[in-house]
Amino acid sequence: MKHIALILSIFSGMSLLAQEQIDKADARGKGSTAVERLHFRVRATKAIPEQNSVRINWRCGGEGLGGSVIKGECVTDDKQPQIPLGVWSSWVALKDVVGSGRGWSFPSVVVTSEPVIKGKSSRPGVTLSDIAVDFEFAQNGKVFKQFSEIAPKGSTVGFVFPGSALADQVTPEFADQLNGISTHARLRRERLEKAFPEAAPMPKLFGIIGHIGGYGEGPPGLRGSHGFGVRHCNPTVLADEFRTLRMLGVNGMVDRIGFADAAGVGADFRHTFWGGPGSGEPMAFFAKPGKSAEMPDGCPYDPALKPYVMDRVEKAIEEHRAVGAKQSWALWDDEMGVYAKDHIATCERCASVFRDYLRAKKVTLQDLGKTSWEEVKPYPLWVPKPIAVKGVKPAPTTGLAPAPDNAADSLRYYYTYRLMTHATGQVFPEAAMKFSEAGIKLYAMQGPTPSWQGASLDWNEFYDLKPNTAFVFETSNRDARTWQWESYLADIGRGIATRHDMVQGCLVKPHRGAPAQRMLSVIARGTRAFEWYTYGPDYSKGDSFSQSPELLEQVAQAARFLGKTESYLYAAKFASRPEVAFVTPRSSEIWSRVTDLSLTTFENAKWVYLALMHAHVPVEVLSEQQLAEGKLDHYKVIYIPGAHLRRDSASAVRAWVRAGGTVWTDASGLSRDEANQPATAMNEMLGLANRQLESWGTCEAYHAAELKALNEKNAPAGAEFLWEKSKLHASIGRESLEPKTAEILATFADGKPAVTRNRYGKGQAIVAGIWSGLSYSAKVRRSDFDMRADFDPALCALIANPAIERQAYRPAIPSDPLVESVSLSKEDQRSIALINWAYTKAKGDLTKGTLQPVQHLQVKLPGFSDAKSVRSINHGPLKLTNGAVTVPSLNDIDLLIVE
Ligand SMILES: [Zn+2]
């Protein structure tokens, strides 16, 4: 995805996240041969400077819309390219322009004065402007539609071909939607205005970012009137689109603020500006001319890189100043990976940095099995593809070298892995500071890596280097069952932003589903600016939502909700600090790529988090580094799913448990250290002897698309066990626990211990010998899922009970597990965000769900025992009885105001 963004950014400047053009292909519906009977013709009726004749070119596709560009030229009936003004061209077969015409297409028509080249002599044509073009469309030679388009500022006009509405012949629906872009934009705006006839306050505190493309004006060139991606040159179209954006709450822009100025509404869109340097990575400095590579060969520690970085910063600051928005955020790099992989193993400079890095982490020569620092080199992590190391089978998808077979090399492996993030983060701190001096936030657009297995960058290590002053991630999960992971990502982000005093932002993608829930989830965790990614519009960009009336209404509704509630929500904080911490150890993630634990620990952790959310237990997400730093006294329970934990973190956890803490983990949890060696020091705390995992299945990594069933065959009879009188099933594997001092809380059907608790000092350690998160997710992975029915309450209790028994802070407890509550306070105002994540499978779509509204939702309010009144934003005052209220119904989101 990223390489597409890079290529596009070359052509279109700061093209934010120009990803997944593939979406366009998704949108294509059933085929139709009707397109073969359709033709169109055009005539230019006006051009400045005045012309006797013009040339008329068309093109379709590509340029941000997916696929490649198809081009052609209109001619006169006697095949002449020069077409006199006011004279119709000959008929053009629409199938030559839109192909099979299955989806929506947005062909462009450009009027030029280019003379026909005769022999070698050629003179350039003059640039035309203020053109007008008539269109006629015919089926089997019979005209069924006519319209005109104008381009007051240039020479490009466009039309909309609504292929999805084309049956085996032209339908009224098709004819209605076959329009010039100006009508298309106006109808979109009018439809939304009709759906929301009443004026409503729009958000003024939150920055809501929009995107507009497709406009060009002036002479040809990159941004000219018929440059790359230009679909029209008509400020009236822009004005319609910006009116629609305002109804979506948009008050800021990505990049093209000039378009708002051209539409005469620039002042309304200068709340927050998201601008460059852009989505290209600074490592482009090392790119060889004429060669494009995903990662140019270069050293991120090369001293020559920083002057280049600072030069880019200076230029970007000038651009931001020229825009003059109230708030300016500078993007630098999108879906960030790491800036050095195999390079590290071969670079002397990196080796030297590596040694310093190890010494700073207090790693000794003895740990590394060396006698002098000169011998210490980064571990060759990456098996160069396609050449594998002889006799060694590389991990097939990652190209990572296999796990070393000894402790010293494994430690080097681990730290070399971490150095990749260090190499990336250290590029930016000076840039962040320089931007900060100019009043501009610097951010990297993070892909949702903690919910996707796949990227090497570690958010925690990255931000600990202070490379950014804003934390921004994008929401991307397509499957309804994973949408609540947005809360997980936002909780991770909240932790990082709190630690480093950063503001938070987000890309919320309406066409990926649940726009209102996603918006409220990230806002409740501190987000102050977000982009509705991406409006497009449809004629300028694939992966957009402007083409969907349903999504536009949902987004407009969400914006109205925010307009009403922002005085409670903007800059609100959690009403009180969670008393439960959740840790996904980075060490587990690193080793999960190359050890027998495969992806299991990583995938498992996400569902453990969700079980806690379903039990309405708010958490603070901590990094291993934060564990190691101690400061854990505030927590009653710490959840650490994952096999690997750093030794210094483990030591801090042991001290905290001895002092009274409760630690929870599950199958193979806390069994190894950062060097992939048995963590025998943890056995005493856990009260266990040997740790042995038994597997009979696998779990696929989730990466944006459909959530797949667990691969499970021949589960042993012993996989069953009883918990709270419910029969539970351990999915894909188990750890039959071997208690030494621990008591047994549950046994598998074959009599082996399934859940244990060990008293350790004043605290306790609980181990569930199953992949508790994956087991919790097993049923909902079915193709006809029903989220409200598919999560077993007993498994949820198995995970959440330690927190509930310790009476960890649970301020607001909805009666429905799939309704998340986030309790907030801001000065003396208190509120509770309610977010309904319950979906069933939608018909005809593998991933999208159908929202399941809730009736009579009871919300207990133990965290608000002094509440005098409670009011719902959607329903007005609620009756407060015995510390609880009943919300008559909840569709997607609500906010309870507590006074
Ligand atoms: Zn290097």
Side-chain angles (χ1 to χ4, degrees), residues 44 61 76 133 162 177 196-197 199 277 295 408 459 461 574 589 609 628 641 651:
T76 60
V133 178
Q177 297 182 82
F196 296 92
M295 193 188 298
W459 286 7
E461 177 128 24
F574 276 17
E589 197 200 331
Y609 171 90
S651 162

Side-chain angles (χ1 to χ4, degrees), residues 636-640 645 653-654 656-657 660-665 670 682 685-686 756 758 760 763-767 802 806:
K636 289 181 173 168
V637 186
I638 301 181
Y639 285 82
I640 317 178
L645 189 70
V653 169
R654 286 199 301 276
W656 170 81
V657 173
T662 297
V663 68
W664 181 97
T665 190
L670 308 178
M682 295 304 260
M685 178 188 83
L686 301 172
T756 59
N758 190 50
Y760 183 66
Q764 57 181 347
I766 295 165
V767 184
R806 290 289 312 267

Side-chain angles (χ1 to χ4, degrees), residues 201-203 247-249 519 532 555-564:
M202 283 293 141
M247 279 187 285
L248 308 181
M519 174 193 81
W532 290 126
V555 171
Q557 192 73 49
R560 283 169 178 246
F561 178 91
L562 205 54
K564 262 193 277 186

Side-chain angles (χ1 to χ4, degrees), residues 19-21 23-24 64-66 534 536-538 540-544:
Q19 62 168 338
E20 288 167 307
Q21 303 305 327
D23 281 10
K24 185 83 192 330
L65 290 173
T534 175
D538 46 4
S540 99
K541 198 175 178 311
D543 199 22
S544 66

Side-chain angles (χ1 to χ4, degrees), residues 393-414:
K393 198 176 167 210
T397 52
T398 60
L400 274 171
D405 61 3
N406 65 81
D409 283 348
S410 296
L411 195 63
R412 235 165 15 101
Y413 187 110
Y414 165 78

Side-chain angles (χ1 to χ4, degrees), residues 599-610:
L599 304 158
T600 318
T601 56
F602 184 84
E603 294 299 322
N604 182 61
K606 296 183 274 187
W607 297 97
V608 172
Y609 171 90
L610 278 195

Side-chain angles (χ1 to χ4, degrees), residues 299-301 343 347 349-350:
C299 180
Y301 299 103
H343 163 88
C347 171
R349 191 187 291 112
C350 284

Side-chain angles (χ1 to χ4, degrees), residues 230-253:
V230 171
R231 304 290 171 199
H232 71 90
C233 312
N234 187 352
T236 306
V237 175
L238 279 181
D240 276 319
E241 300 290 14
F242 277 105
R243 280 174 69 180
T244 304
L245 282 184
R246 279 302 292 146
M247 279 187 285
L248 308 181
V250 171
N251 56 22
M253 291 299 290

